[in-house]
Amino acid sequence: MIFDSENFSHQDTTVATLLSGWRLVEQNEYLFTKSHQHVSYYPKIYGTCGSFYLTEYVPPDLSYFPNFLITKEVSWNMRVTVAMEILNITESMDKNFHEPLHFCDVKVWNYGISPVGEVKVIDTDSMYYESDLTDTMGKLNCTSHEHCDFNDCHGFCVLTTGKCRPQRTNNNLQKICQDILSDDPKNFFAGLVHNPPTDLSYRITTLVQECANPDGSHGILSKARSPTPAVYYHKLRHILQKSLVLYKTTQNAHNKYV
């Protein structure tokens, strides 16, 4: 590129602007979030400056997942409310777009909670529409199923051909149950629905485990390679809603005699 010495400053600024703008649009997370500003559970983008962009402040609240570093614990009522919001978000990803949207990096700190209690997905770098994900999977070579995995989006290796099948084997709901709702290393062995009300403890724990392990696989290192049936959205909402009623009744009875 040849610069005119008299207009060097202007040209230099223009080039810098173009380069910073290019660096911005190269960020998948920015592009995805920007193109989904109409969706309530993605953070709002307020503006950009060069290759940086400013979003609303929606930090993860790890007090919902207490561990040896965090002793504060929120109530069952609050935890179940957040759990049901995450279930709603997950089902929306399955149904409310032109094709299913896959979240391939499910972690407790990838969800934020606003000051008014809104749950939002704050890490969109690993969001893929189904056609993009399966097209990429189908181009991979493999000698084991793990070679076909995209983080939490598990694949399947056809050992006779050494190629990955263009298909995700688990689904978003399975990972939400495993890594968010149930006790798991990713949530410090304290999932959102840990310590449920005694009267419903067995039913809730069993249902969450069925959801997390649809193919019967168990153990810390197990990787489910079957999708959780969509009926578990209804089953989980029903039992969690029932637990809220029980929790409020118990709290009211307790307060009455305090």
Side-chain angles (χ1 to χ4, degrees):
M1 181 179 293
I2 300 176
F3 290 94
D4 181 351
S5 59
E6 294 183 0
N7 297 313
F8 179 80
S9 177
H10 171 71
Q11 292 178 348
D12 189 48
T13 301
T14 301
V15 171
T17 301
L18 291 173
L19 287 175
S20 62
W22 180 252
R23 294 190 186 102
L24 181 66
V25 299
E26 281 187 315
Q27 300 178 55
N28 291 334
E29 189 167 14
Y30 169 76
L31 289 178
F32 183 92
T33 306
K34 182 66 175 177
S35 63
H36 290 78
Q37 289 292 278
H38 61 288
V39 181
S40 62
Y41 49 80
Y42 293 121
K44 298 302 178 187
I45 294 179
Y46 294 139
T48 63
C49 181
S51 59
F52 299 96
Y53 58 98
L54 178 68
T55 69
E56 66 175 307
Y57 182 61
V58 191
D61 189 342
L62 295 184
S63 65
Y64 283 80
F65 305 88
N67 59 83
F68 60 94
L69 294 177
I70 301 172
T71 57
K72 171 191 173 186
E73 182 171 350
V74 299
S75 69
W76 174 258
N77 178 66
M78 293 176 65
R79 287 190 283 118
V80 167
T81 300
V82 169
M84 293 179 70
E85 279 297 305
I86 291 177
L87 286 171
N88 291 339
I89 289 172
T90 306
E91 188 172 32
S92 172
M93 291 180 183
D94 291 346
K95 298 180 177 180
N96 292 350
F97 298 95
H98 63 282
E99 59 179 313
L101 184 60
H102 295 269
F103 191 11
C104 296
D105 190 18
V106 176
K107 296 184 179 72
V108 296
W109 47 83
N110 284 346
Y111 291 90
I113 302 174
S114 75
V116 295
E118 293 178 322
V119 179
K120 302 204 174 191
V121 181
I122 57 176
D123 186 346
T124 60
D125 197 39
S126 295
M127 293 278 182
Y128 303 96
Y129 279 107
E130 185 161 296
S131 58
D132 295 328
L133 178 65
T134 56
D135 180 64
T136 302
M137 281 182 162
K139 295 176 181 177
L140 298 176
N141 298 320
C142 61
T143 56
S144 69
H145 296 320
E146 285 73 17
H147 294 161
C148 304
D149 293 347
F150 273 68
N151 293 330
D152 293 327
C153 293
H154 300 162
F156 188 91
C157 179
V158 182
L159 298 177
T160 54
T161 63
K163 299 289 291 184
C164 293
R165 186 181 294 168
Q167 178 185 0
R168 181 183 180 182
T169 55
N170 66 336
N171 58 8
N172 291 332
L173 180 56
Q174 183 273 321
K175 290 307 297 180
I176 292 299
C177 286
Q178 182 179 40
D179 296 341
I180 302 295
L181 301 186
S182 66
D183 296 346
D184 186 81
K186 284 190 176 182
N187 58 39
F188 317 111
F189 294 99
L192 262 183
V193 294
H194 68 276
N195 295 332
T198 303
D199 290 351
L200 294 174
S201 179
Y202 177 78
R203 291 175 62 187
I204 291 175
T205 302
T206 300
L207 194 60
V208 169
Q209 287 303 314
E210 289 176 0
C211 176
N213 304 286
D215 55 5
S217 59
H218 291 279
I220 293 177
L221 299 179
S222 66
K223 286 190 175 183
R225 298 199 180 272
S226 297
T228 297
V231 68
Y232 277 86
Y233 283 118
H234 170 72
K235 289 183 176 182
L236 287 166
R237 286 195 191 97
H238 177 74
I239 193 67
L240 292 177
Q241 190 64 51
K242 189 173 182 178
S243 77
L244 286 180
V245 175
L246 177 62
Y247 174 82
K248 291 176 182 178
T249 301
T250 303
Q251 288 297 108
N252 290 337
H254 173 75
N255 294 335
K256 182 178 180 180
Y257 293 101
V258 171

